[in-house]
Amino acid sequence: MGSGPRWLLIAAIVLLGIVEWGWGIRSAMTQLTARMHAESGRPYARPPVPVPKTHMFTRDEAYAFLTAAKRAEAIKDPLQRCIAYPDPPGSHWSHDAAVAYCHYGLQPLPLSFAEAQTLIQHGQSAELDRRLAAALHAQQTQPDSPGLLDRIYHESFENSSFDVRPTLDAWKRDSPNSAFAWAASGVAYVAMASAARGSNYIKDTPQDSIDSMHKLLAQADSDLRKAIALDPKVTPAHAALINAGALGFGRKYTDDAIAAAIAAAPDNYTIYGVAIWAKEPKWGGSLDDMSRLAAQAQTHAGDNPALKLMLSKRAFYEVSNCNCEQNIELASYPAALDEVASVPDLMDAGDAAKGSKHPAVAAIYLSEALRFGPEFDDARLHRIDALIDFDEAAWAVAEATTLIAAKPGDATLLEARANAYESLNDYAHAEQDYRTMLALDPNDTHALAELGKLLVYWTHDWNGGWDVANQLIKVQPQSPYGWILRANIQQQQPRAGLKDTVDYVEAHFSGDPQMAQIITQMRSALILQTHSGKQVLAGKAPPHG
């Protein structure tokens, strides 16, 4: 072939995509390394519910929101931080409801399980009862203490571990006429029953797990009914009874428990929340049932503005179970959550956008979840990617650093911070985090792949990248990741052995459809390298470096 036709061939190869070598391989590597992570589905079925598409948050709205959110998060006092926080763009959140929910979730709790355990062990059960009675009185009479007793029980006694049983049983023996003691025991039994059942569909749950659940629910029913007989105003007992009904006692039991609970405490946020949850279609209720309870709650919203959160429950359920395209689901959340929503719902809405092309949904709703529940580390972790997307990588680094201080050996947190460092072009610190991940687990192939991409594509540390490629080839010979890194170094540096590498990749990985484009690009690079007068560089190299 003459020189003219030969270079026409080369030009045609260039048009096939060799000019995209670096970015093309990098993109393919990202897709390939993503295989290392198994994806988990949502825990419940999503029946088809028609949801009209509304609008998506714009990037400008997200930028403005995050600016205001960062300003609020600088406030030290948790309650004032929550109150000062911006609402979602375009929403119509009731200020009174948001303030009430701030008080509900962020009020200081005057008792922990450890403190209760110490009192019981020292024969001071009467003092424990006195403190809980004071919390109930504050819940009933003080606007700044909404749901105080409910929050204490949720944090201290809603425990699925059998380790709490000796303490709770001793309390019941010491205070046989204490509604608080029987309620705490029943609440714990319901949590244990839920753990015994697991999160699978009932048809996929082993019979012995179902039997264990029912035994624990029977004990819960006995203790909770005794607590209510002693004092029907002890609201955690009512909420736990509704929960028990939804888990395993059926529709009539649940409906009776809801009616009794509302009669005992008609303006209680926790009772309405668990009641509407128990009325969801997946538990045998209906959307209309949810709407009726939400409307009933509004008759007491003047006394407890937090009840306005019930207005978003049905709409959120419909959107999160719409079985629709992701774009439609994400665009529907702003309308569904037009009124203040609970932390779990806000987290679910934010997580639904995780990894999507719409990071504004994740940034806004995960931030709102942290507004009311700053202790939820999962929301903080999941928000990091969204912060990076909106040019807040320094904020993302700070968030990740705080989380790592509490869990220094958590590889997921280290990777999140490394991604944030990369966005700041701080490759030295990113490399340090990847190497820390590898120190924790030398065979962490995902960390190796990420480190290799950083060294090869960003810092052009050819020797370091070569070492990582060799290690990937050694620990995961059935994977093309290490070979792709090696080929890129051989083409970019350049370094000897590209032909040897291309031949190996084609021989071992050509059956993978995702490798077709990569192999074509490798072959194109080899032809260009060969016909540019660098034939010696295409020669043999030892197969492992």
Side-chain angles (χ1 to χ4, degrees), residues 349-372:
D351 284 342
K354 188 173 180 289
S356 75
K357 296 179 180 179
H358 306 288
V361 178
I364 290 167
Y365 287 129
L366 291 175
S367 293
E368 292 293 356
L370 291 168
R371 168 189 187 174
F372 300 112

Side-chain angles (χ1 to χ4, degrees), residues 117-140:
Q117 186 176 49
T118 298
L119 289 171
I120 293 166
Q121 290 173 344
H122 288 81
Q124 295 179 298
S125 294
E127 172 61 17
L128 174 56
D129 291 336
R130 186 196 67 76
R131 292 193 191 182
L132 291 171
L136 174 59
H137 181 72
Q139 174 174 294
Q140 294 171 326

Side-chain angles (χ1 to χ4, degrees), residues 473 477 479-487 501 504-505 509 522 543-544:
I473 291 168
S479 164
Y481 313 139
W483 294 100
I484 293 172
L485 285 175
R486 171 179 286 191
T501 299
Y504 185 93
V505 170
F509 305 112
M522 285 182 176
H544 296 293

Side-chain angles (χ1 to χ4, degrees), residues 181-226:
W182 293 101
S185 179
V187 165
Y189 273 132
V190 173
M192 292 172 185
S194 179
R197 182 200 184 283
S199 59
N200 291 328
Y201 295 107
I202 199 71
K203 66 181 180 62
D204 299 324
T205 302
Q207 187 59 45
D208 59 345
S209 296
I210 296 174
D211 292 342
S212 295
M213 176 190 73
H214 282 296
K215 289 177 182 177
L216 291 163
L217 286 178
Q219 292 174 296
D221 176 80
S222 176
D223 284 3
L224 293 170
R225 291 192 183 281
K226 187 157 188 175

